[in-house]
Amino acid sequence: MLEWLANTAMARMVQESMWGYPIILSAHAVGMAIFGGLVLIINLRVLGLASGMSFTGLKTIYRICWAGLLLNAVSGALLFIADVERFITSAPFQLKLILLSTTIVLVATMARQIFSSPQPIRKLSVSTRVMAAISTLALLGIIVAGRLIAYVDGA
């Protein structure tokens, strides 16, 4: 299956085109900036910073962050198929996927707690704040692991 992926026309386009890889890598960076930046804004609010910002306003930001994640997932999949054999065994890549999965679960769980209540939130639970702190650290780890992919494991 992995060999088939590496030999698809799309993989070859990313591998061989002068502009394919740089454009897709740029889209990946933009997707991460959207997702990571907006999740960071939400996390910082949950952690008590920017307390003047309402959770109602953050609900729109929360929806937009998933568009960034979608862009990141599509571009990431294209980057993956372009060099599947290297990525599948890369420790930083595996760590990045674990941290990304953790972040997605934490952010979705936090959002259910924050945005599902019809009443304005007066006080957030400790568990919600812990989730925000962990997902913030995981976001930083995603960025570091993503950069390490280029330098570790014989890349």
Side-chain angles (χ1 to χ4, degrees):
M1 169 90 169
L2 294 178
E3 187 176 319
W4 174 84
L5 271 176
N7 291 314
T8 61
M10 185 60 75
R12 284 194 311 279
M13 185 278 299
V14 175
Q15 295 161 351
E16 299 168 5
S17 165
M18 180 172 139
W19 294 103
Y21 196 88
I23 289 171
I24 293 167
L25 189 60
S26 296
H28 197 64
V30 169
M32 183 60 189
I34 293 168
F35 178 73
L38 296 179
V39 166
L40 184 60
I41 289 169
I42 293 167
N43 286 348
L44 291 176
R45 173 59 185 96
V46 169
L47 292 170
L49 300 165
S51 58
M53 190 180 300
S54 74
F55 285 108
T56 306
L58 290 179
K59 194 170 189 175
T60 301
I61 288 175
Y62 173 74
R63 291 183 188 126
I64 295 170
C65 82
W66 297 113
L69 181 63
L70 179 62
L71 176 60
N72 218 6
V74 170
S75 59
L78 292 171
L79 293 170
F80 176 79
I81 66 169
D83 201 355
V84 78
E85 289 181 18
R86 178 174 63 110
F87 284 119
I88 202 71
T89 60
S90 168
F93 178 74
Q94 293 168 2
L95 176 61
K96 179 181 173 178
L97 291 183
I98 290 167
L99 293 171
L100 180 59
S101 300
T102 301
T103 301
I104 291 168
V105 169
L106 290 172
V107 170
T109 303
M110 268 189 340
R112 276 195 301 277
Q113 293 175 0
I114 296 168
F115 302 128
S116 64
S117 173
Q119 302 297 326
I121 296 174
R122 302 266 185 246
K123 187 172 180 177
L124 293 168
S125 69
V126 171
S127 66
T128 303
R129 291 178 191 269
V130 168
M131 285 188 279
I134 293 170
S135 66
T136 298
L137 292 174
L139 278 172
L140 296 173
I142 291 165
I143 294 166
V144 170
R147 289 307 310 138
L148 287 175
I149 291 168
Y151 303 106
V152 177
D153 299 328

